[in-house]
Amino acid sequence: MSEPRPSDRHDASDPDDTFKEIVDEATQRDPDLAVIEAGSRTLRTHSGQPQGEVVPARPADPETDKALRAVEQELAGRWGETKLEPSVTRIAALMDVLGEPQRAYPSIHITGTNGKTSTARMIEALLNAFELRTGRYTSPHVQSITERISLDGSPIAPERFIETYEDIKPYVEMVDAQQPYRLSFFEVLTGMAYAAFADAPVDVAVVEVGMGGTWDATNVIDSTVAVVTPISLDHTDRLGTTPAEIAGEKSGIIKEGATVILAQQPVDAAQVMLKKAVEVDATVAREGMEFGVTSREIAVGGQLLTLRGLGGEYEDIFLPLYGAHQAHNAAVALSAVEAFFGIGAEQARSLDIDAIRKAFASVLSPGRLEVVRSSPTVVLDAAHNPAGAKAASDGISEAFSFSRLIGVVGTSGDKDVRGLLEAFEPIFAEIVVTQNSTPRAMDADELAAIAVEVFGDDRVQVEPRLDDALEAAITLAEEDDEYAGAGVLVTGSVITVGEARLLLGRG
């Protein structure tokens, strides 16, 4: 699995001299941080700068594509992400036989109900701006399974994904043979991510939980920074039926002595988090108290922010994402990175404003109020629960001036579908209900029955095939000159959004 590392390759310059030179340049900064950054920058002088976030298509090479499909098929034969046995026993056993790769680097751990992936991408961009080499692990993916494991802001190459799987496969099979249940799809991917990050090697890992916290497979790391994005009701059959119960499960990522970056929460959820922090002697920074969004203005292609972090105010931050929820995600991400660098507790200083501006301006979040077509405008958003739908509804109302908006909605069967539809009802003139290609998808006719109760029969159209649904919605948006400013929003599930993205030529 290991490739020759950049520092192993011969070059005209001496890496030791380069390292010393960069450290000397950083004498005004925290000494430990300067050494970490210098090491990463030395690597970059040989390996080049990260290429930025993309949503990868299928591999162009037929043999690589065949090999990737074989890996995907093997992974799909395991327990899916919605079938869980609540423990970290199996993943801990895998980490043990792999030599504890998750302990080879510091990490930032992210839980919550909504906003985790966008926040993870922002944290990653900020760390990259300070020349740290990053690994990011997020789920689910929009189009390609390789998106889940990123290095330096880009999804892992298919070849490396395949190599990583083949490298850990014997150890996975060893653990399978010793446990009552085989490792799940998500557990194997988590093991792959942690192994890939150690092999890279990365300076810091940004890790999003799959579900919950305490017994989530990612929770074999001891992160110095725990991030909690807004908590709302989702996965209630597994995590609890109130925000407080869900918070109890998610609080499991808070480790002894860590710093907790707490986004705005329901009162009962916040109380649970604060109690957990006291129990493990963790420091808490709360949105609206220690950090937050000072101001924001709508701007072309996004929004202009002033953020108050743990080390002071950061003005004129352009964020190329829509919605107030993304501004709050940005405040959380900034404070998490400050906490990682020891700002606010160990040091009273701000991060370099130019680096912060550059990082936020580079952020992409595919499938989150993402415009993928014009004439008519088609927007994708992966909202899949009522809170996410409310945020998307508010964001699209604020950022776009559609004279008429058509919804294309395909959901999973285990979600609060009525709550999601009710959140979108005020902004959809009409809705086309559909279904994605996965077994978890709610049947289009079942979804239509609920939609009729929310929207009324005359506002609901049923198109079971997603391509037909997209065509129908675009036709509705184009049908009258009166509605020249009409648009289409595709939503309801990450899978629906990913498949729509491919159909619309963004794969």
Side-chain angles (χ1 to χ4, degrees), residues 89-337:
T89 302
R90 291 174 303 283
I91 187 67
L94 180 60
M95 293 296 99
D96 182 53
V97 297
L98 289 176
E100 303 290 348
Q102 82 281 15
R103 306 201 187 284
Y105 38 79
S107 57
I108 297 175
H109 207 176
I110 307 169
T111 192
T113 303
N114 291 305
K116 297 187 294 295
T117 299
S118 293
T119 302
R121 287 190 170 102
M122 293 179 195
I123 290 172
E124 176 185 53
L126 289 164
L127 293 168
N128 286 159
F130 288 96
E131 302 292 349
L132 292 185
R133 193 167 202 204
T134 56
R136 173 171 56 82
Y137 182 50
T138 54
S139 60
H141 56 275
V142 177
Q143 286 177 205
S144 171
I145 194 171
T146 60
E147 295 168 40
R148 295 178 180 236
I149 304 173
S150 288
L151 295 172
D152 283 333
S154 295
I156 190 171
E159 296 84 358
R160 195 163 189 176
F161 185 91
I162 296 162
E163 290 169 6
T164 303
Y165 176 75
E166 294 297 340
D167 214 33
I168 75 164
K169 184 177 176 179
Y171 301 96
V172 169
E173 292 173 344
M174 185 187 307
V175 173
D176 284 343
Q178 296 170 348
Q179 299 294 326
Y181 304 102
R182 297 170 71 216
L183 287 152
S184 69
F185 169 89
F186 187 74
E187 288 170 331
V188 176
L189 276 173
T190 301
M192 289 173 61
Y194 289 159
F197 297 161
D199 188 63
V202 301
D203 296 319
V204 55
V206 182
V207 178
E208 172 189 336
V209 302
M211 187 187 299
T214 300
W215 44 259
D216 187 74
T218 62
N219 202 31
V220 287
I221 52 175
D222 293 317
S223 297
T224 56
V225 179
V227 176
V228 186
T229 67
I231 292 172
S232 60
L233 300 183
D234 200 5
H235 302 295
T236 53
D237 56 331
R238 298 175 181 86
L239 303 181
T241 57
T242 67
E245 289 178 352
I246 294 171
E249 174 56 38
K250 292 181 182 293
S251 69
I253 75 163
I254 301 173
K255 305 298 171 60
E256 185 174 353
T259 298
V260 183
I261 304 300
L262 193 62
Q264 291 179 341
Q265 304 290 346
V267 172
D268 55 346
Q271 290 173 338
V272 171
M273 288 291 173
L274 293 172
K275 180 181 178 182
K276 174 68 173 185
V278 170
E279 290 173 356
V280 298
D281 196 27
T283 301
V284 180
R286 300 154 294 176
E287 184 179 8
M289 301 289 286
E290 286 77 24
F291 70 93
V293 180
T294 301
S295 68
R296 70 183 197 95
E297 302 173 19
I298 306 305
V300 176
Q303 50 193 310
L304 192 65
L305 311 175
T306 297
L307 302 176
R308 178 164 55 84
L310 307 180
E313 284 206 346
Y314 299 81
E315 299 179 337
D316 298 326
I317 306 295
F318 175 68
L319 181 68
L321 302 175
Y322 300 109
H325 60 296
Q326 295 290 17
H328 291 287
N329 289 340
V332 169
L334 174 61
S335 297
V337 172

Side-chain angles (χ1 to χ4, degrees), residues 416-441:
D416 180 0
V417 173
R418 180 180 295 276
L420 180 141
L421 294 176
E422 288 174 345
F424 281 123
E425 191 278 332
I427 68 168
F428 286 163
E430 296 180 63
I431 179 175
V432 182
V433 298
T434 188
Q435 63 192 71
N436 60 55
S437 64
T438 66
R440 290 180 60 202

Side-chain angles (χ1 to χ4, degrees), residues 360-433:
F360 277 122
S362 73
V363 171
L364 300 174
S365 196
R368 278 75 180 177
L369 288 181
E370 178 189 19
V371 178
V372 294
R373 173 183 162 151
S374 58
S375 300
T377 299
V378 178
V379 183
L380 308 180
D381 192 87
H384 55 273
N385 55 45
K390 180 63 166 62
S393 179
D394 290 346
I396 207 162
S397 298
E398 176 186 78
F400 300 88
S401 55
F402 293 127
S403 58
R404 183 168 175 251
L405 185 62
I406 312 300
V408 175
V409 180
T411 69
S412 294
D414 59 347
K415 298 296 182 180
D416 180 0
V417 173
R418 180 180 295 276
L420 180 141
L421 294 176
E422 288 174 345
F424 281 123
E425 191 278 332
I427 68 168
F428 286 163
E430 296 180 63
I431 179 175
V432 182
V433 298

